[in-house]
Amino acid sequence: MKIAIHHRAGSFSERWIAYCLKREIPFKTVNVFDNDIIQQMVGCNILMWHHHHAIFQDTLAAKKILFALEHAGITVFPDFNTAWHFDDKVAQKYLLELVKAPAVPSYVFYDQNAAISWANQTAYPKIFKLKGGAGASNVRMVNSRNEALRIIKLAFGRGFSQYDRLAGLKERFRKYQNRQEPLTHVLKGVLRLFYTTNFSRNHPKERGYVYFQEFMPDNNSDLRIIVIKEKAFGVRRLVRENDFRASGSGKIEFDKDAIDMRAVAVAFQVNEKLDAQSIAFDFINGRDGAPLVVEISYGFSMLAYDNCPGYWDKNLKWHQGAFNPQEWMIESILSEQNVVEKKNS
């Protein structure tokens, strides 16, 4: 058994490689973007690749390569169940509805007239989102019918760029004010007004659909619960000042008593149906106070959760102490491969 790992600085691969070295697990690093990646996989039973939603090459190639290898019987991380819906809120809408997850109600339209008809009769505010983007990027509150109609016109007209330059600058300035980022990041944001990101330059505009979610009032935070097979950990994220968004705020609470255990239970229950190797659930409270899923993602910031004081098992029993979720991923993938080999023997 040998693991192939696509290495990218700052990604999960740093800890995967360290774990393999520590435990003397056979592995090799590969470059998934090489034309001969299939040849590089010779002798390997597993490929692990922490692909990122904001790296254009990753968005072009990751699912094609991973799912092709999985189709051929190679164990991959993330696999199809884990990642087919990654960075696609519209896909997640259908999936969460199909598995009957308690989720924030959402609406998607592929026809402009249908969207206009809905906008003319619905109540406001609503939350508009593009299907891609993380850290609350490409998310805005829509307070009136006229504002919704302007968005719909854009969605079925010239479309939306994946990178909102002005919103990006405002976010950099907010983080500078909160001492989360240096002044140089603000200056980079000013430059972005004139020179967009490589991702946005290459990515086609988002058009031909429009997506809204219900706004749930009185939420001053959200919960991020991450499940890796039979273990879960989480944090509470506070909303930005004078805003409704918590994702990407940088204001994180690690106290386990700040976590609604109903959300942890839902995360385990939903993932029993999704069968994802790794999945992060974002929760907010519905109008009745019960936790509702906002969106899901297989990936998460590698460093942001190192201060979590412990984790829960599938029986919701708390285990105090430091842990390394990337090591759990390796252990889980090795377990999957053992099952495959037993079936084939």
Side-chain angles (χ1 to χ4, degrees), residues 27 58 65 85 95 165 181 248 281-282 294 301:
F27 80 97
D58 285 16
I65 294 170
H85 45 76
L95 180 61
R165 305 183 193 199
E181 289 186 354
F281 294 87
D282 292 347
V294 181
S301 170

Side-chain angles (χ1 to χ4, degrees), residues 203-320:
H203 198 285
K205 284 196 171 185
E206 297 284 340
R207 56 159 64 99
Y209 75 96
V210 67
Y211 175 80
F212 296 93
Q213 277 188 332
E214 286 288 346
F215 172 65
M216 295 296 160
D218 304 321
N219 278 281
N220 60 7
S221 63
D222 75 0
L223 298 178
R224 163 63 68 88
I225 307 297
I226 299 169
V227 178
I228 300 176
K229 288 303 180 180
E230 297 184 349
K231 299 174 182 176
F233 55 99
V235 298
R236 180 172 178 254
R237 306 183 297 187
L238 305 180
V239 301
R240 298 164 168 85
E241 187 175 353
N242 300 318
D243 204 333
F244 67 96
R245 299 169 298 172
S247 179
S249 71
K251 300 178 179 179
I252 300 175
E253 292 184 352
F254 296 94
D255 182 4
K256 76 179 182 68
D257 294 328
I259 304 294
D260 185 338
M261 288 303 298
R262 293 177 298 176
V264 181
V266 167
F268 275 120
Q269 291 162 8
V270 173
N271 197 41
E272 282 187 8
K273 300 175 182 178
L274 302 184
D275 193 27
Q277 298 160 318
S278 166
I279 186 162
F281 294 87
D282 292 347
F283 288 94
I284 58 174
N285 291 333
R287 290 185 173 87
D288 62 356
L292 298 176
V293 180
V294 181
E295 58 191 64
I296 56 178
S297 170
Y298 92 88
F300 50 91
S301 170
M302 185 170 68
L303 302 178
Y305 301 89
D306 284 350
N307 291 327
C308 288
Y311 65 91
W312 295 274
D313 62 28
K314 65 178 181 179
N315 297 315
L316 305 185
K317 180 182 177 181
W318 176 254
H319 298 261
Q320 185 75 21

Side-chain angles (χ1 to χ4, degrees), residues 161 163-170 189 191-196:
S161 171
Y163 181 70
D164 187 327
R165 305 183 193 199
L166 183 57
L169 175 59
K170 289 179 179 178
L191 289 176
R192 287 291 182 214
L193 294 175
F194 306 96
Y195 304 97
T196 191

Side-chain angles (χ1 to χ4, degrees), residues 56 59-60 130-132 138 158-163 198-209:
F56 188 67
T59 65
L60 278 178
L130 296 181
K131 61 183 176 63
N138 305 326
R158 69 171 184 265
F160 298 91
S161 171
Q162 266 284 333
Y163 181 70
N198 179 65
F199 181 88
S200 182
R201 186 166 51 253
N202 285 287
H203 198 285
K205 284 196 171 185
E206 297 284 340
R207 56 159 64 99
Y209 75 96

